[in-house]
Amino acid sequence: MKTWNKRTKAVHAGIRRSQYNEVSEAIYLTQGFVYDTAEDAEARFIQAGEDEFIYARYGNPTVAMFEDRIAALEGAEEGFATASGMAAVNGALTAMLRAGDHVVSARALFGSCLYILEEVLTRFGVNVTFVDGTDLAQWEAAIRPDTKAVFFESVSNPTLEVIDIAAVSTMAHAVGATVIVDNVFATPVFSDAIAQGADVVVYSATKHIDGQGRALGGVILGTKEFIRGTVEPYMKHTGGSMSPFTAWMMLKGLETIDLRVRAQAASAQVLADGLAADGVLSNVIYPGLPSHPQAALALAQMGVGGTVLSIDAGTQAAAFKLLNALDIWTISNNLGDAKSIATHPATTTHQRLPDETKIRLGITPGLIRLSVGLEDAGDLLADLRAAIATL
Ligand SMILES: *Cc1c(COP(=O)(O)O)cnc(C)c1O
C-alpha cells in the first residue's frame, strides 16, 4: 500500500471487511462490544489488539477504517478521528500541553482556533505568542528554547495567507517543538505537510473530506507515538470521538475527494483569473494568482492555489449587495462543499473579533470568501460578474 498513489489509497486504504466480504464499508453502529468471557473483557481492557474494540468513544471498526484511510492518504503513521474539526484542533493542543508551556501561533486563524489559543489555553496557564505567520523573522524571534509547540493554518481562513511549513518546522525542530498544522485549505489531496516537516496535521473533515455538507467531523494525524500515546488517552476520556455513521460518510467522501478538489481548484483558478482580469474589484486574493504575495510558496507547497478565493467589494454595504444578488452561489459559512458558498467573514465566522483585530488580519468590511463548488466554472463566473455589476 505504501507505493500506492493518493487516489488509490483514498479508495482502498484502511478497509476492514466483515465475514460477509461486503464491497462497501460496513457501518458498525454500535457503542459497545461483547466479550466471550470475563477473562476476555479483562484482557482487552489491559491491552486491546489491533482489531479489538471496547467502547465507541475509544474506537470503532468503521471509525478505524476512516482513521487508517486518511492516515495513509496524508502519509501519517496513525490518526484519531474526532467529532468536529474543532475537537481535533483542541485535542491536538490540549492533549500535549500543560500549565507553563509556551506555544507560538500564527495570528491569522479561523475564529474558533483563535478562541482555543487565546482564551482556553491561556486560562490553563499556557503562554501563547502570536506572530504574523508569513513573516519568518517573527517566528524566529518568538520560538524559544522552551517552546513546546507551534500552531498555524497552512493557508489561513479567510485571507489565504500561505505559511512556509518547511521553514517554520526547521525553526521549531531546532528547539524540539512539535509542529501542529491545521491543513483544511490544503486538503489531504494537495498536502505534503508531513514530508515538508509537520509533526501533526489536523483536518476539519466537515469541509472537503465530506465535501457535501452533511456532517461535522475531524481528524488528528501524526506519529504512532503521538496519536496512541498522547492524543488517544486524552480524546477517549474527554469525549470528542467521531460517530461510526459519520466515519462511514467520511470514508465515502474520501473515495471521491481527489476528483472533487481538483475540479474545485481548477474552477477557483478560472474564477480568480477572470475576476482579476476584469479589474473591477479592489482586491482578488487567491494563492494561485501571480499577484498573491506567497504565490511561489503556494505552488511549491500544494501544487495549486486551492479551492477558496476571497474578494473585496469595498464596503460592507457593497459586499451585502453583491451577496444578495448571487443566484447560484449560496450564502452560508461552510467551505469545501459541492455547492459554491459565499461568506462574509466580518459579520459571520469572524464576527466575534474586535474591529482592530479584523483589520490587522485583513478581514475588511468588504471581504467575501468564496468556496468554489462543483458547478460549471463559467456559470459561477457569470453569476459573480452579474452580481458585481449591480454595485
Ligand atoms: C472549519 C474549520 C475548522 C473547524 O472545523 P469544524 O469541523 O467546523 O469544527 C478549523 N480550522 C479551519 C481552518 C476551518 O476552516
Side-chain angles (χ1 to χ4, degrees):
M1 195 187 74
K2 276 225 156 74
T3 63
W4 290 353
N5 288 310
K6 284 195 180 199
R7 265 176 78 162
T8 309
K9 289 178 179 168
V11 178
H12 288 287
I15 200 150
R16 286 168 151 83
R17 290 206 163 89
S18 78
Q19 72 273 31
Y20 300 114
N21 261 332
E22 61 282 348
V23 173
S24 178
E25 295 76 0
I27 313 176
Y28 293 91
L29 217 44
T30 179
Q31 55 51 44
F33 303 84
V34 175
Y35 315 99
D36 288 339
T37 64
E39 289 79 6
D40 284 350
E42 181 188 32
R44 201 173 293 186
F45 269 80
I46 293 170
Q47 181 63 58
E50 177 84 342
D51 258 317
E52 293 180 342
F53 298 91
I54 292 173
Y55 192 59
R57 177 152 43 72
Y58 294 24
N60 167 287
T62 312
V63 178
M65 284 192 259
F66 169 67
E67 290 168 341
D68 289 354
R69 184 168 298 176
I70 179 82
L73 196 53
E74 190 65 32
E77 286 176 14
E78 306 238 340
F80 193 96
T82 57
S84 68
M86 287 325 303
V89 171
N90 186 60
L93 289 163
T94 47
M96 69 162 292
L97 295 170
R98 60 188 66 242
D101 282 350
H102 179 242
V103 175
V104 182
S105 172
R107 191 178 285 120
L109 296 177
F110 177 61
S112 303
C113 294
L114 191 63
Y115 178 80
I116 289 174
L117 282 136
E118 215 172 28
E119 315 269 341
V120 181
L121 293 182
T122 50
R123 206 186 319 140
F124 292 96
V126 174
N127 303 304
V128 184
T129 305
F130 288 98
V131 297
D132 170 352
T134 60
D135 183 352
L136 293 176
Q138 289 193 25
W139 286 103
E140 182 82 72
I143 293 171
R144 317 189 304 224
D146 66 335
T147 300
K148 277 279 157 47
V150 305
F151 180 82
F152 58 90
E153 293 172 9
S154 55
V155 180
S156 73
N157 180 358
T159 48
L160 310 175
E161 292 182 350
V162 184
I163 295 182
D164 191 333
I165 297 173
V168 175
S169 298
T170 301
M171 290 182 226
H173 291 158
V175 299
T178 301
V179 178
I180 304 174
V181 178
D182 179 336
N183 216 18
V184 166
F185 281 55
T187 84
V189 172
F190 302 129
S191 166
D192 205 9
I194 288 180
Q196 287 156 357
D199 300 299
V200 180
V201 175
V202 173
Y203 284 106
S204 162
T206 316
K207 312 294 168 56
H208 306 82
I209 293 174
D210 174 18
Q212 292 169 74
R214 297 166 293 194
L216 288 169
V219 67
I220 307 168
L221 299 155
T223 61
K224 182 173 184 180
E225 188 191 352
F226 185 78
I227 297 300
R228 298 275 87 85
T230 302
V231 169
E232 185 189 295
Y234 179 83
M235 291 305 303
K236 76 181 186 187
H237 294 303
T238 55
S241 306
M242 179 179 276
S243 90
F245 189 77
T246 298
W248 176 79
M249 249 187 287
M250 298 307 179
L251 275 162
K252 290 305 178 193
L254 285 179
E255 288 185 347
T256 58
I257 192 171
D258 193 289
L259 296 172
R260 285 186 286 107
V261 300
R262 284 187 197 284
Q264 288 167 287
S267 293
Q269 184 74 53
V270 168
L271 299 186
D273 288 341
L275 296 177
D278 291 349
V280 177
L281 297 164
S282 64
N283 202 1
V284 179
I285 308 171
Y286 183 62
L289 281 179
S291 60
H292 190 282
Q294 295 99 38
L297 174 63
L299 286 187
Q301 206 158 276
M302 302 188 290
V304 293
T307 67
V308 179
L309 64 149
S310 290
I311 57 175
D312 203 321
T315 62
Q316 180 177 318
F320 277 25
K321 191 167 184 202
L322 193 164
L323 286 167
N324 293 335
L326 290 167
D327 194 17
I328 302 169
W329 293 79
T330 317
I331 302 173
S332 188
N333 39 267
N334 190 21
L335 61 90
D337 198 285
K339 294 181 174 63
S340 288
I341 290 173
T343 312
H344 186 248
T347 53
T348 61
T349 52
H350 293 68
Q351 184 187 114
R352 201 183 60 82
L353 299 181
D355 285 345
E356 56 179 65
T357 310
K358 283 181 195 158
I359 293 306
R360 194 169 55 188
L361 294 178
I363 303 168
T364 52
L367 193 77
I368 296 173
R369 187 186 74 192
L370 298 171
S371 167
V372 181
L374 289 170
E375 305 92 335
D376 180 83
D379 288 345
L380 292 174
L381 184 56
D383 194 24
L384 279 169
R385 281 179 170 151
I388 291 164
T390 66
L391 302 182

